[in-house]
């Protein structure tokens, strides 16, 4: 497994792969790898002859009061895991390599970057789209793999790839969960035992919404209320869950959906973000409304 930190060297290696008609499958990550990332790596392995994984904690997508400084950095063990998965190239640039001091160009997906997480994390999606556009230009992948857990990120990146004519397909892998439903996230390691128990309520709330939608409830306000009631059931002696948002949105445009039946051809997802202690967690489920007989 090659580990490359220079953008020039990475671009030269990947240009050669493209020239040989076997562009890399790219899995962009910020490291602190878990089974969710590894499931994407396995997908990439099965669909691309060469697999590249980027590890870069991107300062541009963190707000000033967020966890950039304490975000877990576990490079050596990440590399051991990736080597065991048969990854060909790890791209791990420094911040200076990715953002020379005079860099002043950003990619911004207008009208989508301020929805869901973008509303409570101003600048977050601009940071994500800027770094991913750079990674696409450096790695020139044929396929790029992202997790469904970050559904809003997926929507924004798909739109960016389409609007800017990147010559690649965005592939989305399913959310990997713990036994109690908690979506795997590098941030789960911030949780203490009590917070870890409360964190499972996010998926419980989403599951209730999913079940009610399947049973025929199509009014999204009622679905959201049902989800909020689940969150209100966090035991009083447990760690509090503070809701940032619980919304039902179109997974492509991220616009709010008011009724699941109003346009049955369009999809809908229930998306949640909540703080457990000071840790912000996100999750979502795709809703499939009841089908009339
Ligand atoms: O999903 C992530 O880990 C990051 O947002 C990404 C796509 C690697 C960009 O920094």
């Amino acid at each position: 497994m090659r580990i490359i930190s220079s953008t020039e060297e990475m671009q030269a290696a990947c240009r050669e792969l493209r020239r040989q008609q076997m562009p890399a499958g790219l899995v962009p990550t910020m490291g602190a790898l878990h089974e969710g990332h590894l499931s994407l790596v396995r997908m990439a392995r099965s669909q691309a002859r060469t697999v590249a994984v980027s590890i870069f904690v991107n300062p541009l997508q963190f707000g000033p009061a967020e966890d950039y400084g304490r975000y877990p950095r576990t490079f050596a063990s990440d590399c051991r895991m990736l080597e065991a998965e048969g990854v060909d190239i790890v791209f791990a640039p420094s911040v200076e390599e990715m953002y020379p001091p005079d860099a002043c160009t950003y990619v911004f997906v207008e009208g989508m970057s301020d929805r869901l997480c973008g509303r409570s994390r101003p600048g977050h999606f601009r940071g994500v789209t800027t770094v991913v556009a750079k990674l696409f230009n450096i790695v020139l992948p044929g396929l790029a793999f992202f997790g469904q857990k970050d559904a809003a990120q997926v929507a924004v990146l798909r739109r960016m790839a389409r609007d800017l004519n990147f010559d690649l397909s965005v592939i989305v892998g399913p959310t990997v969960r713990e036994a109690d439903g908690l979506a795997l996230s590098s941030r789960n390691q911030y949780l203490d035992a009590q917070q870890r128990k409360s964190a499972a309520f996010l998926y419980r709330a989403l599951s209730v919404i999913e079940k009610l939608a399947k049973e025929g409830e199509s009014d999204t306000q009622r679905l959201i209320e049902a989800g909020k009631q689940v969150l209100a059931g966090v035991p009083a002696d447990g760690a509090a869950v503070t809701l940032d948002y619980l919304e039902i949105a179109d997974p492509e445009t991220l616009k709010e959906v008011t009724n699941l039946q109003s346009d049955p051809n369009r999809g809908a997802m229930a998306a949640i973000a909540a703080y457990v202690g000071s840790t912000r967690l996100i999750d979502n489920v795709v809703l499939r409304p009841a089908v009339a007989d």
Side-chain angles (χ1 to χ4, degrees), residues 28-30 37 56 58 61 124 128 131-132 146 150 153 157:
T29 82
M30 298 204 300
H37 298 111
F56 179 64
N58 173 32
Q61 69 188 75
H124 169 67
V128 171
V131 81
V132 172
F146 299 91
D150 303 311
Q153 168 171 282
L157 289 174

Side-chain angles (χ1 to χ4, degrees), residues 132-196:
V132 172
K134 286 170 69 70
L135 289 169
F136 285 175
N137 280 329
I138 295 164
V139 180
L140 308 169
L143 304 171
F145 296 81
F146 299 91
Q148 171 65 24
K149 195 200 69 134
D150 303 311
Q153 168 171 282
V154 165
V156 171
L157 289 174
R158 273 194 197 286
R159 184 62 68 88
M160 174 191 84
R162 192 204 69 181
D163 288 353
L164 296 184
N165 305 92
F166 281 105
D167 185 16
L168 52 84
S169 302
V170 170
I171 313 280
V172 180
T175 303
V176 180
R177 301 183 180 282
E178 300 279 8
D180 64 359
L182 176 67
L184 295 196
S185 161
S186 306
R187 292 190 168 96
N188 290 353
Q189 50 186 284
Y190 297 151
L191 304 170
D192 65 23
Q194 227 188 8
Q195 292 169 339
R196 171 64 190 78

Side-chain angles (χ1 to χ4, degrees), residues 10 23 31 51 88 91 177 209 243 272 275:
M10 185 69 186
V51 175
D88 301 283
F91 177 51
R177 301 183 180 282
I209 293 176
L243 192 59
I272 189 169
Y275 290 89

Side-chain angles (χ1 to χ4, degrees), residues 220 248-251 257 259-260 263 266-270 285-289:
T220 57
I248 297 182
D250 181 313
V257 172
N259 193 295
L260 298 183
D263 184 354
R266 294 209 71 87
M269 65 173 175
V285 292
V286 173
L287 299 180
R288 296 181 209 290

